[in-house]
Each structure stands twice: as C-alpha cells, then as structure tokens.
Amino acid sequence: MSDGVMILLVFALIALLGGGTTALVLLIARRARARKERAYTAETVGTVVRVRPGGVERPTVVYVRYEVDGVSYECHETVKLSSEIIRLGPVPIGQRKRGKIASREGSRVRVAYLPGDPSRAILADNTGLMSE
C-alpha cells in the first residue's frame, strides 16, 4: 500500500471516529431526555431566578425556582435553541436562533418533575439538542 493511500485511510479513520463519537453522545443525550420526559409527569410553573449568560465558549444557563406542596426547589438547564431561516425574498441569507424558553429573570416557565421526588425536575419546553 502506498504512503498516500495509508495517509488517506488514517485521516478517514480519524474522521469516522470523531463523527461516530459525536453521534453516540447525541443519541445518549436524546434518550436520556426522552426517558425523563416520560417519567417526570407532574407539572408546575417556576420562575427564572438567575441567568448565567452564554457566549462563544459556553451556553446560557437558566436557574428556575419552583414550588411543590409548599416546598421550594431549584433546577437549572442550558437554554436550547430553535433555528429559523432568514430570507431575502426566496433566497436564504442566514439563520435566527431563539431560545426555546424565556431566559430573563422573572420569566415564568413550565417545570416537569418526578412525582415521587419533586427535587428532580426538567424544564418542560426546553427540548432539543442545540444549546446556545
């Protein structure tokens, strides 16, 4: 086998390993979220009490306080995004990304929690894999 073919095979293997690892991580994250969505059947409304702004290197995180049977709890999650195509007439010229949930202090958000353990919760409308 020539050196050129060997180098090509090595780069192909590296690309496949990286892509395979990324796909595996995304699959595991999606299944974990789906499992929580099935188990966390009780629901309440919480209030965003703190926002850790994101940027280029890290996602935005919201901290939400909610109450169940007179007991106060807090959970936090990274804000997931939805993407909308920006068009100039029929020509796509970019994307607009919006958070799936409100990420300002004082905003009200739906919280789904485990009926037997209200301290375990997720933000009900914050679904998806793309983080800010």
Side-chain angles (χ1 to χ4, degrees):
M1 196 177 304
S2 73
D3 288 342
V5 172
M6 184 60 80
I7 291 171
L8 183 62
L9 286 174
V10 168
F11 279 115
L13 180 62
I14 291 170
L16 286 173
L17 286 174
T21 302
T22 301
L24 181 63
V25 167
L26 291 175
L27 178 66
I28 291 169
R30 181 176 288 165
R31 285 190 177 178
R33 178 70 185 206
R35 186 172 45 251
K36 286 179 180 179
E37 286 174 352
R38 284 191 302 273
Y40 294 20
T41 56
E43 196 172 291
T44 188
V45 175
T47 304
V48 176
V49 292
R50 184 165 73 104
V51 178
R52 187 190 78 192
V56 175
E57 295 183 16
R58 67 179 188 188
T60 297
V61 177
V62 292
Y63 294 79
V64 176
R65 185 167 295 132
Y66 60 100
E67 193 172 299
V68 177
D69 296 328
V71 179
S72 184
Y73 300 94
E74 191 171 301
C75 68
H76 65 278
E77 282 188 19
T78 60
V79 176
K80 303 298 187 276
L81 301 174
S82 62
S83 183
E84 176 186 333
I85 296 174
I86 300 170
R87 296 182 184 274
L88 184 60
V91 179
I93 59 170
Q95 291 184 53
R96 179 178 299 118
K97 295 181 181 176
R98 292 192 174 134
K100 295 234 179 165
I101 58 170
S103 58
R104 285 186 307 274
E105 287 186 24
S107 298
R108 310 276 288 165
V109 294
R110 288 186 325 129
V111 177
Y113 61 91
L114 195 59
D117 183 5
S119 67
R120 297 180 58 194
I122 59 174
L123 303 180
D125 299 317
N126 195 36
T127 59
L129 294 174
M130 186 170 55
S131 293
E132 184 175 4

